Amino acid sequence: MSSTSLYLNGVFEDTLKEILVAQTATPGLVCLLQPYSATKIKMLANQPPTLEQAKMLYMSTTTELTQVAYRAKIVGWKDKQLLNDTELEDFNKHIATHQPREKDVYLQVKGKLCANLISISQLEHLPSPVPVTCFLKVGNNKALKPRTRAGGIAYVHEQPSWLGTIPTVLEQDLYKELRAEIEISTQLAAEKRALRLAAAPNKPEEVQVISRSFRRNPDVIVEALYRAAGKCELCNALAPFLRKSDGSPYLEVHHKVKLADGGDDTVDNAHALCPNCHRREHFGQPDSPSC
């Protein structure tokens, strides 16, 4: 994970669409977001971002609170209540020119003061929106939970730049497709396969994958590794190498009854295996010999 980023829950999509149009027409244009909150966003207030030290911003919309559909870079912040007359006039001119739907810098909504004026650049609409649960909160590393009402912020870890920008596929479908294509390839004559290889692109298509997994108990992993004492618990051979991270013997903890098949995440249902035996357990024939 990299630096701390900001998540805004439930931004008006019409506002974002207007900014997209303006920034597409004028590359490099900085536009404004005006959350309703009367509370200063501490991350921005304590160290206001700049063009050189921007912060990443992720946003859901009022019509789809469960998905992050937009992101941008925060390049400035102001406390609305501290704007002087010149600043206020300049911001209002900017809004009138580039964001007329906003009308002006509003200092209060329904009698409540508003604090945050956020300057953003490089707004993007993500072609593959990402569930908010993919974002981890900085304070406790727990996943964001979708909210039922717009409003509010969260400090989250910055995500990879590719997230939300490439096609999404189910992991099971990805491998099913690959296995089917491999079967087709094995039936081809070598000459035909050579022609296909010559015509194929060198770089594969990138996709983001949705898969089902489990939050495993780290104590089970550690206890199984301690019990194995550096030897594979299937073939009894020494671990083939030492881990780069800490120099410990490299073994992989495998569940005897898979978690996906209802197995328990317990020490009794786990054993520490060398990589070869681990692959055999997943992909070998039942009567295949151990290493």
Side-chain angles (χ1 to χ4, degrees):
M1 296 292 183
S2 52
S3 60
T4 300
S5 302
L6 183 68
Y7 165 70
L8 286 181
N9 175 62
V11 180
F12 289 117
E13 190 158 22
D14 284 347
T15 298
L16 297 173
K17 287 180 177 179
E18 184 176 54
I19 292 174
L20 273 178
V21 170
Q23 292 187 346
T24 299
T26 308
L29 179 69
V30 173
C31 291
L32 303 170
L33 288 177
Q34 304 190 69
Y36 286 169
S37 174
T39 303
K40 295 180 187 178
I41 300 173
K42 291 182 180 179
M43 182 184 82
L44 305 182
N46 292 342
Q47 190 174 1
T50 63
L51 284 169
E52 294 74 26
Q53 294 183 315
K55 290 286 187 182
M56 189 60 70
L57 171 65
Y58 301 102
M59 293 164 281
S60 61
T61 65
T62 53
T63 55
E64 185 49 89
L65 298 174
T66 65
Q67 304 276 338
V68 168
Y70 290 85
R71 71 179 176 193
K73 288 187 176 180
I74 305 174
V75 297
W77 176 89
K78 290 285 187 179
D79 182 343
K80 286 186 178 183
Q81 303 305 318
L82 298 181
L83 294 175
N84 59 44
D85 291 342
T86 300
E87 289 176 317
L88 188 58
E89 182 180 356
D90 288 343
F91 281 126
N92 281 334
K93 286 180 179 177
H94 181 92
I95 287 174
T97 302
H98 302 291
Q99 299 175 249
R101 288 182 61 90
E102 287 289 282
K103 296 183 180 178
D104 55 22
V105 175
Y106 50 79
L107 301 178
Q108 57 180 316
V109 173
K110 296 181 180 179
K112 293 184 178 180
L113 298 179
C114 299
N116 303 284
L117 185 63
I118 301 174
S119 299
I120 65 168
S121 67
Q122 300 178 47
L123 177 65
E124 296 177 79
H125 179 227
L126 300 179
S128 298
V130 182
V132 298
T133 51
C134 288
F135 293 81
L136 300 181
K137 292 183 285 187
V138 169
N140 57 15
N141 281 326
K142 291 187 177 180
L144 281 178
K145 294 181 179 179
R147 304 181 186 182
T148 57
R149 299 172 63 182
I153 68 164
Y155 302 132
V156 297
H157 291 289
E158 186 174 338
Q159 294 292 338
S161 59
W162 51 259
L163 191 68
T165 65
I166 53 181
T168 302
V169 298
L170 290 174
E171 184 180 46
Q172 63 191 42
D173 291 343
L174 183 66
Y175 288 110
K176 181 179 179 181
E177 177 187 347
L178 178 60
R179 288 193 298 269
E181 293 294 337
I182 289 173
E183 182 62 28
I184 292 172
S185 182
T186 59
Q187 304 301 319
L188 296 176
E191 295 81 2
K192 178 67 172 178
R193 194 160 47 248
L195 290 173
R196 282 161 49 107
L197 284 168
N202 291 333
K203 302 295 185 183
E205 179 192 6
E206 288 186 278
V207 294
Q208 59 187 26
V209 178
I210 297 175
S211 64
R212 176 193 178 203
S213 192
F214 299 88
R215 296 188 187 277
R216 295 174 58 180
N217 185 342
D219 295 334
V220 170
I221 296 171
V222 172
E223 283 298 319
L225 291 173
Y226 274 133
R227 183 185 62 202
K231 289 186 177 181
C232 174
E233 293 187 299
L234 197 59
C235 70
N236 209 37
L238 290 172
F241 54 86
L242 303 180
R243 293 179 188 274
K244 182 187 295 186
S245 59
D246 59 8
S248 64
Y250 184 85
L251 297 172
E252 300 172 349
V253 176
H254 171 75
H255 290 91
K256 300 171 186 176
V257 179
K258 297 176 184 178
L259 299 179
D261 294 335
D264 295 330
D265 191 17
T266 61
V267 176
D268 289 341
N269 189 42
H271 48 192
L273 307 180
C274 67
N276 196 52
C277 284
H278 194 191
R279 296 298 91 188
R280 172 190 175 278
E281 288 297 288
H282 279 283
F283 302 110
Q285 294 182 354
D287 56 351
S288 298
S290 300
C291 52

